[in-house]
Amino acid sequence: MEYLILIIALGVTCFAGVQFCYLIFLQATNRQQQRRIAELERELVALRRALNDPATSVTDEAEEVWSELIDDSAGQ
């Protein structure tokens, strides 16, 4: 009976360890996505400012943004 309780306790401990590691992974992924969203929002604001300012060329900036997106997706 004592061995059964010990095995169950070890099993529950291992399960809790796996859940904790998964939680840490999810938090890291969430932080990375939040940084990427903030970066995209900054680029959006810059593009909107460029659209409102007739002195700047939007096509050059848009090509740079697309090239970054292509480079980012190629590495994954």
Side-chain angles (χ1 to χ4, degrees), residues 7-57:
I7 291 171
I8 291 172
L10 287 174
V12 169
T13 303
C14 290
F15 181 74
V18 169
Q19 292 295 313
F20 179 72
C21 290
Y22 185 63
L23 176 67
I24 297 299
F25 166 75
L26 286 178
Q27 287 178 342
T29 304
N30 189 25
R31 282 193 304 268
Q32 184 180 20
Q33 289 175 350
Q34 292 297 326
R35 284 193 299 263
R36 181 67 179 147
I37 289 171
E39 178 183 337
L40 290 173
E41 287 175 345
R42 284 191 299 270
E43 290 178 8
L44 179 64
V45 168
L47 285 173
R48 285 185 177 166
R49 285 183 186 154
L51 279 174
N52 292 334
D53 187 13
T56 60
S57 174

